[in-house]
Amino acid sequence: MPPLEALIRAELRHQRPRLVIATVAAIGVTCGSALLLGLSGWFITASALAGLAGPAVAHAFNYMLPSAFIRLLAIVRTGSRYVERVAGHEAALQGLGRLRPRLYARLAEGGHATRALAVGEASSRLIEDVDAIQTRFIRVAAPWALGAGLAVSAGMAALAHWTSAVALLVGAGALVLGSRWIAERWVRPAAALRQEALGQLKARLTDLEVAVPEVRAWSLEGWATEEVARVADQADAAGRVLAERSGHLMSWAGAVTGLSLAAATGLPLWLAPVAPPAPLIALAALATAAGMEAALGLVTALRDAGAARAAAARLEPLMGADPDRAVQRPEGDSLQFSPAGPTFVGGSRVRIAGPSGAGKTTLIEQMMGLRPVEPGQMSAGGLDPALPDVDVRRLFAYAAQDVSLLNGTVAQNLRLADPKAPEALLWEALEDAALAERIAGASKGLDTPIGPGGAFLSGGERRRLSLARAYLRGSPWLVLDEPTEGLDARTEQQVLHRLKARLDRTAQGLVMISHRPAGVALCEAVIEVDGVTEAGASALAVGEQGQPVGPQDAEVGH
């Protein structure tokens, strides 16, 4: 069974008590509605006829008992509707509350299926697609409610003549079967296209939002507006198609309902030896209307089920393995970048070198399990990061070349590395990154907002804040990708001097990518890279820092 389907079914079992309550309440709604409409039709017609018959008949007619039942049924229907909505939506919301974190965890893992998603499209998966899944919970009661409503409605319609009950059952069957066919052939594909179009719209908006400085600098506001309008028009067009096809479905339902009402009232008058009394004809007509209304509930469920299945098809590739599975974690801290290469023990300082585009960043991200690599190419803590159910990321504190910051405060961004870190450790990390003086000079200190993506900071400040965040994570290896890029010479010297002091103090290992001469002296060994793919490094050579690069098999330490 696919992982998403298994998760939904498990959650349906978990929410069974609430779903049972919702189902019983839904049966109360359909049965109460059918009885209410049928009795009301009979009562109104009978009362009118009694009034027309004269004062004596009108005085003898029992108005109190039917009106009391009508009030009781109205209360039952209203109360049942309330219980159904509360119980059904509570079950759905709790189910979605368990599903969204699972999907987000999968997105955070960065698997093959998730890396291809743009930010906006990933947002669409977590919001619109998951919301569509709630139909599986809310509509569980629909078949039971339909069955109960049809049974009660058919029973009342049969009081006029058996042909009225047959007309109702045939009409309801045609409505459900025809609606299912229309939903599968017409509505479901349109719902899938609309969800896809919304995802593309969000993705394009996100891309353009990130590029706002460039758009302004190059006076491309008009072009950007046209781009937004183009994808918005596509989303609107997909929405119109879905609305039109949903309208066709409901038009079909209305036509079948009208024919069923005509048959339920006309057949008794045509086929019965003696025409049924007018109150019973009214009862049959309104009972048929109630029964078809119950069937319309199932039609709505079928329409929404198409969108739910389309959403599930898009979500399924993101599910991955069970998050509660047993995961192997490293017991040591050694690193090996190639099968025949040396092993670097904790505390080593290694520089990754090579021309631009050779794959230096790819190599270190493969080691950390952030990019795919074929098994057997490298080792981290005695484990192969390419294997499933292996978690080697706790070995590394990573400051990437492309700085990513949250729209929050300095403290919030730092505490991504250690959510429980006290302020003293935050200031220590900022000091080691040569950023403490700048933050201390701000009026709000650690609570200083940095804006979306760090927009309120300079490029160098953003890089140093990312470096401080890596310092805060006490992992055996500090992985720095161009940590002084964009810094002036004085600040670069401060950062590197404090980095060396920190490494001496903490005995952390260092893996650093740097083209700048000032950072080269920190490292004891160098790995020359010339091409990296998912199969691993196509050319990899290791040597001591400052020495000619060549093969080396000895273990490298302090």
Side-chain angles (χ1 to χ4, degrees), residues 196-276:
E196 182 180 348
L198 287 175
Q200 292 174 353
L201 173 59
K202 286 190 173 184
R204 196 58 176 153
L205 285 172
T206 303
D207 292 341
L208 291 173
E209 181 184 7
V210 172
V212 162
E214 288 78 9
V215 168
R216 290 176 176 171
W218 292 90
S219 299
L220 294 174
E221 293 90 346
W223 169 83
T225 302
E226 290 176 359
E227 280 292 292
V228 172
R230 179 180 62 83
V231 292
D233 287 344
Q234 292 175 350
D236 290 343
R240 286 194 298 272
V241 171
L242 176 60
E244 288 172 2
R245 295 187 179 183
S246 297
H248 294 332
L249 176 61
M250 300 314 294
S251 297
W252 153 262
V256 175
T257 299
L259 290 174
S260 299
L261 282 171
T265 54
L267 287 176
L269 298 176
W270 180 31
L271 297 177
V274 178

Side-chain angles (χ1 to χ4, degrees), residues 26-38 73-74 76-77 80 149 152 290:
I27 292 173
V29 171
T30 55
C31 293
S33 296
L35 290 169
L36 179 61
L37 281 175
L73 291 171
V76 168
R77 183 181 66 173
S80 297
V152 171

Side-chain angles (χ1 to χ4, degrees), residues 144-145 178 350 387 417 422 452 506 550:
W144 300 96
V350 184
L387 297 179
T506 63

Side-chain angles (χ1 to χ4, degrees), residues 351 431-435 459-461 463-464 467 471 480-501 512-522:
R351 182 169 73 94
E431 183 69 30
D432 288 343
L435 193 59
E461 288 168 345
R463 186 165 297 281
R464 282 179 284 160
L467 185 62
Y471 288 163
L480 308 180
D481 193 347
E482 301 290 358
T484 59
E485 188 70 27
L487 302 182
D488 62 82
R490 178 175 175 274
T491 305
E492 180 183 41
Q493 288 298 327
Q494 279 186 329
V495 169
L496 293 175
H497 175 75
R498 296 179 188 185
L499 170 59
K500 183 179 184 303
M512 183 171 68
I513 296 175
S514 179
H515 293 97
R516 298 172 70 88
V520 171
L522 276 175

Side-chain angles (χ1 to χ4, degrees), residues 99-112:
L99 180 59
R100 278 199 177 94
R102 168 75 179 274
L103 288 169
Y104 179 78
R106 179 58 177 162
L107 288 171
E109 286 177 7
H112 291 284

